Amino acid sequence: MDVGFIGLGHMGRPMAANLVKAGHRVRVWNRSREKAADLLAAGAMLAANPAEAARAGVVITMLADDDAVRAVLEGEMGLAVGLPQDGLHISMSTISYELSQRLVRRHAEQGQKFVAAPVLGRPEAAQAAKLFVVAAGPDDQIDRAEPLLTALGQRLFRLGDEPPKANLVKLCSNFMLLAAVDSMVQAMTLAGKAGVEPSAFLEVVTGTVFDAPAYRTYGEIITHERFRPAAFGAPLALKDMRLTGAAAEELRAPMPFLGVVRDHLLQTIALDGESVDWSALALAVRRNAGV
Amino acid sequence: MDVGFIGLGHMGRPMAANLVKAGHRVRVWNRSREKAADLLAAGAMLAANPAEAARAGVVITMLADDDAVRAVLEGEMGLAVGLPQDGLHISMSTISYELSQRLVRRHAEQGQKFVAAPVLGRPEAAQAAKLFVVAAGPDDQIDRAEPLLTALGQRLFRLGDEPPKANLVKLCSNFMLLAAVDSMVQAMTLAGKAGVEPSAFLEVVTGTVFDAPAYRTYGEIITHERFRPAAFGAPLALKDMRLTGAAAEELRAPMPFLGVVRDHLLQTIALDGESVDWSALALAVRRNAGV
Amino acid sequence: MDVGFIGLGHMGRPMAANLVKAGHRVRVWNRSREKAADLLAAGAMLAANPAEAARAGVVITMLADDDAVRAVLEGEMGLAVGLPQDGLHISMSTISYELSQRLVRRHAEQGQKFVAAPVLGRPEAAQAAKLFVVAAGPDDQIDRAEPLLTALGQRLFRLGDEPPKANLVKLCSNFMLLAAVDSMVQAMTLAGKAGVEPSAFLEVVTGTVFDAPAYRTYGEIITHERFRPAAFGAPLALKDMRLTGAAAEELRAPMPFLGVVRDHLLQTIALDGESVDWSALALAVRRNAGV
Amino acid sequence: MDVGFIGLGHMGRPMAANLVKAGHRVRVWNRSREKAADLLAAGAMLAANPAEAARAGVVITMLADDDAVRAVLEGEMGLAVGLPQDGLHISMSTISYELSQRLVRRHAEQGQKFVAAPVLGRPEAAQAAKLFVVAAGPDDQIDRAEPLLTALGQRLFRLGDEPPKANLVKLCSNFMLLAAVDSMVQAMTLAGKAGVEPSAFLEVVTGTVFDAPAYRTYGEIITHERFRPAAFGAPLALKDMRLTGAAAEELRAPMPFLGVVRDHLLQTIALDGESVDWSALALAVRRNAGV
């Protein structure tokens, strides 16, 4: 399939590579071109601007935040200009519930199609094409996107025909992940002050009710304090929590754990710098207990 | 093995039955005798009082709270009087970190042995001998207890030779469970206000990073609002959170999620009564969002 | 003095009236003109657009939020176009820390002066010229603004020469007010469940350590449930808490009470509607206790 | 009046001295006798034990916590033995809601009278006889106690005839005080990170809506970091918050700020030791912001 791919960061690069590997004709674009080098060598083409990438008829965006999506969308050389009538924009970035609502309206105005398909998984999963894809949008458009989405992930979830729902579920999932890790760290810190070894603690919880990737993976990271380099930086996680909070505000839903994880992230960034992984919130929790 | 078993509640009854089934000679005692009927029919003997149960040389307690443990321990007909020199008390109840420390000293004064071996699992797991047992105490005493513990559970974790550590880890595990369910409900409620079906939401989260019994089991319970009869009542969960808070206070460890889950339990009990399952905290979260 | 006044809402109208009464020549502008009628009768002039109001050389803005300020600032007929070189913009609205930083840069680029002078007080205080004014900006510009500011308020605080500080202190003050009232309601609700009358409770706390306007005024409002019509609506308070949170995020400062008051506001709005006063968060607190 | 006075700590000593000064015949008792020296020199008599102090017919207790009250109450030489029929026990300590309920029953069983009359104020206020007294109990018994209570304080509040209400209101008042100071510190810390001086911040807030002793006194203490020696130690404040939490649990009332102040106290104690004033929770808040 001809497809444009916009955004070649930690996640976007391996994803675009998997599309090439699966035999799709991929036109890539990134704000800083040098990120595209490997992909071009592997067979991707370089688009001169977002509009040109979108001319492929189907275009994927995988960008850092709302501002980056807005920036590639608009303007004379923007995605919205290049995407043909009935062309499909697949937004895989973690963006706000609000922006997703706007994208629905924006593309509808121009007779374009829109699917939100954010992903769950860290860069390793992107590389291994083991992402989970949470898609929402018109059924026929998800069908159209499916050959691309299945080249990127191990499983595709369909959440109905309103794209913003997929973005919201992605934010909710990140919130639950941060809350899970935060609760684990609070518990480990308490047990630790009584002399219980982190590894012994983890063996019990992941061997019983919490036998889940979230607890296993982050239990390891935290026990060995592998907070740098960041797989998913604390400021990015903070941004996701802000977007979750904005959706909670719009939808009038209290979320009492949200303030706690947000504050732990703020503390972590204030004390350990902008470059740590979000799981370094463990350092904040421990410090607060005098550990 | 000869063993006394004190406490025939929701959990204790099936546990004692499994000991009988495994061929042990079990002397049971319970404050209200009628709970023992089935067990006697199955081959257990009735002890006239805790002291007599303890005379078996090894005695298990499985009681509702600290007060109940203190009540069977002391007095003329108490466990501490009946248990012989070098006799072993295996405390499987969810008791406070502080009481466990006292039991260590109390039994040491009398030349008796003490192992804490609280369990993870609901009554169904007790029945099926599928509990997880988290044990701490002198190694040789856990060895001594092992034939009993393995008759009750699917797996035995050893946490070293200080019994209170096992009680603390059990409390931590309950705290994590409540926090996990609370975070899931907060997220589901938010997504629900945007029109995402609970079942679709659960499929995504339990199909990805939260593929764990905690999320699956409680996701089901909450979606179908199966809060009565209580498998584990809200007031009991509140008690566990109080004990967790007491340990946190003693050990000087902040636990910011603790106040939140405690308040949700209080709200649930205030509005839905004392007899609901703790997972009914979902009702509090939903109500607060106007759902 | 010649002065433009933009924004004739609950607060702006009485403020503009006080400027007229003090003998200043006031050109008013408001998006919906009919709000200006009384002022014109009292001697104010009508400006055709924000630019014309700003041509007075000194212009005050008293608007509902950041968007409203941005809307009057920019465009062909905007404040920034009309304000002469060395003209002074006095921003009295409760705006974000971030927008205030932008206004500093924006006006500097055009050789204009900028003072932030947000106010503390409800509409009754605006009417009685009893507002407190918290000003920051270049000293000579605050001197220049002083005849206007003293016509509006009972006291002027000077916070140095960086305007955003005044906006931040105003947000902090609102945060403290919501936290104070929330804590009072939590305490009153607890005492109420033991049978302590709200009035008796208030007599003790306002008669001892909390002998302050914040507690007296809101104690009365809450005891008599005077939540409608709103003097300061819950959605506006929610906006202020969002701005406080945004500043906390930018400055990397955890604020654990913030999530709590925000959630109580959300719950209040979800259950009691958009039109209640923010102090109706008392209803949320009581409901959560089953009162 | 003949009166026994039990408990000669930071608060009790100046209180007993004020009773002597007012012309009452005071029999003092304290666990460690040397604390009584000054009082004996001033004209007080020494009681050999709590029972002897209570034989005065009216006895005041001013002790550190529930355990201390229980300890002087019971036993062969306890207050309950010495207090005659119709004798009056005035409990001025900050004790739990639950213990107050028990004292009601205990004294009723023996035909003795009971009034709870906890005080608000720091040791300086005790010295200056400027305490606030919050009393509850049978009206005629408060009348009986009044000559004593007015010798100790500047104002007497009456909260009806159920003593536990006075204890609960006292706990609520402490909770509100901690919450007020905590909110002020959170706000000052945020403003401080933007460069706002603490003194300038305090001038605004205490000059406007927060013109109350709570904010003035603690604003000063915090700005000048006068956390040692403790006027009211962090562990004692933590105890009060635990008692507040216990009452909230018994009465089924959520108190979301409670966990926050409790955690700040725990962090303060964990990092700054057991001997700091409770207002040192400011250090925790600042540290968490990287200040």
Side-chain angles (χ1 to χ4, degrees), chain A residues 6-17:
Chain A
I6 294 175
L8 302 174
H10 281 311
M11 296 292 290
R13 222 152 10 146
M15 288 165 71

Side-chain angles (χ1 to χ4, degrees), chain C residues 133 228 273:
Chain C
V133 181
R228 285 175 226 260

Side-chain angles (χ1 to χ4, degrees), chain A residues 84-161:
Chain A
Q85 277 266 26
D86 288 315
L88 171 63
H89 175 196
I90 308 170
S91 166
M92 303 191 77
S93 322
T94 300
I95 58 168
S96 70
Y97 181 63
E98 192 202 2
L99 178 56
S100 191
Q101 292 171 302
R102 276 201 233 172
L103 289 172
V104 168
R105 291 191 301 268
R106 184 77 178 83
H107 286 301
E109 282 163 20
Q110 303 203 225
Q112 298 161 343
K113 307 296 181 188
F114 179 59
V115 162
V119 297
L120 278 68
R122 288 166 79 97
E124 307 89 76
Q127 203 126 22
K130 293 257 165 123
L131 294 168
F132 293 102
V133 182
V134 180
D139 238 22
D140 59 335
Q141 298 303 319
I142 301 183
D143 291 346
R144 184 176 173 189
E146 193 161 5
L148 301 168
L149 301 179
T150 50
L152 298 172
Q154 60 174 297
R155 187 166 167 197
L156 172 63
F157 296 90
R158 289 172 177 241
L159 275 173
D161 55 5

Side-chain angles (χ1 to χ4, degrees), chain A residues 242 245 249 252 262 274, chain C residues 242 245 249 252 262 274:
Chain A
R242 180 174 56 243
E249 204 170 306
R252 307 300 192 212
R262 174 188 165 281
E274 304 280 327
Chain C
R242 179 174 59 243
E249 204 171 308
R252 306 303 193 206
R262 175 188 165 280
E274 304 279 326

